[in-house]
Amino acid sequence: MRNRAYYILCGLCIAVIATSVTEISITPSGRASAPQPPTVEQVERVEPEIVDTAELVDTETIPDPLDKYSVDDIQLMAEIVRAESGNQDIKGKRLVAAVILNRIESDEFPDTVHDVVYQKNQFATVTDGALEKAERTVNGEDYRAVEMEIRERTDTGIMFFTAGNYNSCGTPAYRCGDHYFSTK
């Protein structure tokens, strides 16, 4: 005895076949016939249009967001990401980079990577030696986190983060890994 799935499959096949035949005619002898495909002579030839793809997208007008930062800026951001979030996943590392970038874009903080990172009393890793150690331990994931965050921002509102609890500055936003992020 055939199972139910077999009959469902047969029904689906019949439905597909029935919908693919658009026009059936009955011949004088009483037989059904489907339309025949056109012959080569009946098909109108159309020459393909050649399109210059260079005209479609002018890549010179699309600026690369990385161009806004020097090699030293990206190096320093990767090092601070390593120092501050070396034990975090890529999302946690990106959020640390986001804080730096958000501060650069804010009127309330310095305008450069260097000045944001070295602003007094902002990043403990600058004074406790972790940033110096990060110069030797920075890795590809740290650079990738910085590049990803520059190219596509995850959160443009966060301005502060601390480990263990929310910063006294700003409004608590959320926790990611060991860090507590706050908005202005």
Side-chain angles (χ1 to χ4, degrees):
M1 186 164 142
R2 295 192 172 143
N3 63 22
R4 182 181 166 138
Y6 173 79
Y7 291 110
I8 292 173
L9 182 60
C10 288
L12 289 172
C13 289
I14 292 169
V16 168
I17 292 168
T19 57
S20 66
V21 177
T22 57
E23 197 177 297
I24 296 178
S25 59
I26 306 296
T27 64
S29 65
R31 293 187 175 192
S33 71
Q36 297 298 314
T39 63
V40 174
E41 293 80 27
Q42 294 170 327
V43 176
E44 179 182 338
R45 290 205 159 259
V46 178
E47 293 298 320
E49 182 180 342
I50 298 173
V51 178
D52 183 5
T53 56
E55 293 176 15
L56 297 177
V57 177
D58 183 4
T59 55
E60 290 182 20
T61 61
I62 302 172
D64 184 350
L66 284 175
D67 291 345
K68 188 175 176 182
Y69 301 95
S70 70
V71 172
D72 290 339
D73 289 339
I74 292 171
Q75 175 75 29
L76 181 56
M77 276 195 282
E79 289 169 2
I80 198 78
V81 162
R82 165 54 58 188
E84 293 284 349
S85 59
N87 65 337
Q88 304 298 302
D89 64 8
I90 192 76
K91 182 177 180 183
K93 291 178 178 191
R94 284 187 67 175
L95 289 171
V96 169
V99 168
I100 296 166
L101 297 171
N102 293 345
R103 287 182 179 193
I104 291 169
E105 293 172 1
S106 170
D107 292 336
E108 299 176 35
F109 291 92
D111 296 335
T112 67
V113 172
H114 180 274
D115 292 349
V116 164
V117 169
Y118 288 99
Q119 187 178 17
K120 189 175 181 178
N121 299 324
Q122 295 301 307
F123 293 95
T125 55
V126 170
T127 56
D128 71 5
L131 180 60
E132 188 175 313
K133 180 181 175 189
E135 291 176 19
R136 297 181 303 278
T137 60
V138 66
N139 64 35
E141 186 175 80
D142 304 321
Y143 285 103
R144 191 169 69 246
V146 170
E147 179 184 349
M148 289 169 69
E149 194 58 32
I150 289 171
R151 290 187 187 277
E152 186 177 340
R153 305 293 294 282
T154 55
D155 189 335
T156 58
I158 56 172
M159 297 296 230
F160 308 100
F161 69 92
T162 56
N165 207 345
Y166 287 106
N167 194 315
S168 59
C169 299
T171 304
Y174 51 85
R175 178 181 173 199
C176 179
D178 295 337
H179 289 141
Y180 293 78
F181 292 89
S182 302
T183 60
K184 189 69 180 147

